[in-house]
Amino acid sequence: MPEFRGAAHDARVTSRIGLWLGIAFGLCFVTGLLSHGIQHPPAWFSWPTRPVNLFRINQGVHVISGIVSIPLLVAKLWTVYPKLFEKPAIRSLPHALERISILALLAAAFFQLATGLFNVAQNYPWGFYFVTAHYAVAWIAVGALLLHIAVKLPVIRESLSTPVGLQQEPAAGLSRRAFLRSTGLAAGAAALATAGATVPGLQGVSFLGWRSTRGPQGLPVNRTATAAGVGRITDTWRLEVTGPGGSRRLSLAELTALPQTTAELPIACVEGWSQSATWTGVRIADLIGSVGAGPEATVRVESLEQGGAYRVSELPAAHARDPLTLLALRLNGEELDLDHGYPCRIIAPSRPGVLQTKWVGRLVVTG
């Protein structure tokens, strides 16, 4: 059986790293719930349109806190791992429940962090739907974490109230303070190495920050036209707009002739990257207003995609009436590239990239 030999195998160290890990897990859980609610909103849920970077901030915190959790989890396991092999394995019913909660917590935590990393890399070597599984296991992880904290609360309170530098006997390896500093530096380095995917000012130093400016017109693309089954758009294409006052069919030339609005808005991807760009297009509020929609109207947006979970999206009333929600025709002063949604796409403030529907073919006022 492994033995405690290093100074880091101490409840004072474990409790402090556990506190940091709990904060990181908490941030990751709350921002993940918000992200899930925005993409799959229940009837009671609403998400504001301002500030325009709000979803970008939420998703950035979610990914960065998840990345930071990895070195913290490894460090915490290092401080306690000999206890996992103690004999007898089960001493009482409360002890059995504690061991089960730890097993559930470790399994759920590793599942969440591993699948989250694969999602960031857009690599899915499994057969289940990532969003549903990640959301469900998050509740298991948080439930097991709360149970673990409740069981260990007396030890945590005592450990956090005792100075970490108080050395009672000589011990091998790094001192407790040195181990905590090393863990903090590792967590900070992990955050700095990846934060540039979300924080523009850190792009130059975040060497693991993915998808900075790659893609046509200087903007990354997650789903290309080929992957979406969208071919060349011909001159026969028309945008259909349907509302309580009737329907309109508009050619690209007719859309271009309408009053245009230009705004700088971010594309914020649920995989973690985000980037601002200048978009020009027609206000959605003006388009649906021309078919009789009121200020509380909601809109179903249908893409020319042949399939996919986000072929259809819903614009809540707050976004539909927002003056910065556009049917974008141009990106950074140029006609949209086909991979960016030519002939037109949705761009709205404070929305996930998967809901900024590309290759729009139809707008339907639904409420």
Side-chain angles (χ1 to χ4, degrees):
M1 185 180 75
E3 296 180 358
F4 283 102
R5 292 185 180 276
H9 300 298
D10 186 283
R12 286 167 287 183
V13 176
T14 302
S15 295
R16 282 164 174 79
I17 296 177
L19 177 63
W20 301 345
L21 182 59
I23 293 172
F25 257 56
L27 286 172
C28 200
F29 178 69
V30 171
T31 51
L33 284 187
L34 290 173
S35 181
H36 191 84
I38 298 164
Q39 294 176 68
H40 308 279
W44 52 267
F45 184 86
S46 64
W47 181 251
T49 65
R50 296 290 188 280
V52 298
N53 283 312
L54 187 57
F55 180 77
R56 179 184 199 168
I57 295 170
N58 181 82
Q59 202 61 18
V61 172
H62 181 67
V63 173
I64 292 171
S65 58
I67 296 289
V68 166
S69 296
I70 295 173
L72 293 178
L73 179 60
V74 172
K76 188 172 188 298
L77 282 176
W78 169 253
T79 67
V80 300
Y81 83 92
K83 287 184 175 295
L84 302 177
F85 302 96
E86 284 181 345
K87 299 297 174 91
I90 302 297
R91 296 195 294 268
S92 63
L93 180 58
H95 186 243
L97 293 175
E98 179 194 355
R99 301 300 289 258
I100 292 172
S101 72
I102 291 174
L103 180 62
L105 176 57
L106 287 177
F110 277 110
F111 178 88
Q112 290 299 87
L113 296 178
T115 56
L117 281 178
F118 275 104
N119 179 59
V120 164
Q122 295 186 21
N123 186 357
Y124 305 97
W126 49 69
F128 54 83
Y129 182 41
F130 166 77
V131 173
T132 302
H134 201 68
Y135 177 71
V137 176
W139 287 101
I140 297 175
V142 167
L145 176 62
L146 292 177
L147 179 58
H148 181 63
I149 292 174
V151 170
K152 293 293 186 182
L153 190 57
V155 177
I156 294 171
R157 293 180 62 179
E158 181 181 355
S159 300
L160 292 180
S161 63
T162 305
V164 72
L166 184 61
Q167 195 81 26
Q168 294 178 329
E169 58 185 23
L174 286 175
S175 68
R176 287 188 282 267
R177 282 181 172 173
F179 187 81
L180 286 172
R181 280 196 297 269
S182 300
T183 302
L185 287 173
L192 190 62
T194 53
T198 300
V199 184
L202 296 179
Q203 288 180 348
V205 296
S206 294
F207 61 94
L208 294 180
W210 49 93
R211 293 180 173 276
S212 54
T213 57
R214 288 178 290 173
Q217 298 176 301
L219 194 67
V221 171
N222 276 9
R223 186 169 169 83
T224 65
T226 301
V230 177
R232 188 174 65 87
I233 307 298
T234 67
D235 292 340
T236 62
W237 173 87
R238 296 291 184 273
L239 173 74
E240 182 178 346
V241 186
T242 301
S247 295
R248 298 179 67 188
R249 289 176 57 83
L250 298 160
S251 68
L252 181 58
E254 289 171 324
L255 285 170
T256 305
L258 293 174
Q260 304 289 301
T261 297
T262 297
E264 182 170 332
L265 293 171
I267 285 281
C269 180
V270 294
E271 282 86 1
W273 64 263
S274 61
Q275 187 169 324
S276 292
T278 301
W279 306 88
T280 300
V282 184
R283 290 177 178 174
I284 292 295
D286 294 341
L287 279 173
I288 62 174
S290 69
V291 292
E296 298 303 318
T298 56
V299 180
R300 184 175 72 243
V301 183
E302 298 178 2
S303 172
L304 299 175
E305 288 185 62
Q306 299 303 304
Y310 298 99
R311 190 187 72 81
V312 176
S313 66
E314 300 286 338
L315 276 174
H319 281 85
R321 66 170 176 265
D322 192 288
L324 294 185
T325 298
L326 306 177
L327 185 75
L329 307 176
R330 302 181 72 81
L331 166 59
N332 292 332
E334 302 174 350
E335 184 178 76
L336 287 177
D337 185 275
L338 182 59
D339 282 341
H340 284 310
Y342 176 87
C344 58
R345 68 172 299 164
I346 295 295
I347 185 72
S350 187
R351 291 263 285 178
V354 291
L355 300 183
Q356 310 281 35
T357 307
K358 299 192 283 190
W359 312 290
V360 176
R362 193 167 183 235
L363 299 174
V364 181
V365 177
T366 56

